[in-house]
Amino acid sequence: MVTTECANREEKQHKKEMMAVQDSMDVLSGKWKISILSSVCYYNKRRFSDILNDVEGISNKMLSKELKELEFNKLVKRTVLDTHPVTVQYELTAHGLTLKTIIDNLVEWGIQHRKEIIGS
């Protein structure tokens, strides 16, 4: 059920919710994290170069930094494969997989928003 109004809550509960939103934004903020998570989520496992090709405009250095932060926050698991040359693979952790619904919702919202703005 879609509502057009935000729910009214007690002020104390609202403050807890605002803190939770801020915590979420602290972990997921920035230009690239959601796109990186979306790439890894869509393909289940991705090599660094695959993510780099998927996320348009990101540099090697920035992708490396963002992946380290996502790994630190236990959203992404990094695996070094025993290949020559060495291959690094990324996948969502169980905790990271809890974002799948949010990513799917963002995809749907983005499609609808684009239609709303440009009209098709």
Side-chain angles (χ1 to χ4, degrees):
M1 180 175 123
V2 178
T3 62
T4 57
E5 294 180 21
C6 293
N8 291 326
R9 291 180 175 55
E10 291 181 32
E11 189 172 339
K12 195 173 188 179
Q13 180 63 27
H14 174 68
K15 287 196 181 292
K16 285 182 183 179
E17 290 173 358
M18 291 304 295
M19 186 180 295
V21 168
Q22 191 59 54
D23 289 345
S24 300
M25 293 306 297
D26 287 346
V27 173
L28 301 173
S29 68
K31 184 175 180 178
W32 309 109
K33 285 191 180 83
I34 297 293
S35 296
I36 293 166
L37 289 167
S38 181
S39 174
V40 176
C41 183
Y42 183 80
Y43 291 99
N44 295 320
K45 294 182 181 181
R46 294 296 271 166
R47 294 178 312 181
F48 184 92
S49 59
D50 295 330
I51 301 168
L52 192 62
N53 289 331
D54 239 9
V55 180
E56 195 170 317
I58 194 169
S59 68
N60 281 15
K61 185 177 177 181
M62 182 58 72
L63 178 56
S64 180
K65 174 190 165 293
E66 297 288 62
L67 283 166
K68 284 177 185 171
E69 288 180 21
L70 291 168
E71 189 177 7
F72 175 81
N73 283 295
K74 300 182 180 179
L75 299 175
V76 169
K77 176 185 172 193
R78 179 180 188 268
T79 305
V80 178
L81 302 176
D82 189 20
T83 59
H84 188 72
V86 172
T87 305
V88 178
Q89 185 173 273
Y90 295 89
E91 62 187 301
L92 296 184
T93 62
H95 184 53
L97 282 168
T98 63
L99 292 168
K100 183 172 178 0
T101 301
I102 293 168
I103 291 167
D104 291 345
N105 287 338
L106 282 171
V107 168
E108 287 179 36
W109 187 88
I111 291 167
Q112 291 305 314
H113 178 67
R114 182 172 295 268
K115 287 178 183 176
E116 180 74 23
I117 298 301
I118 63 173
S120 60

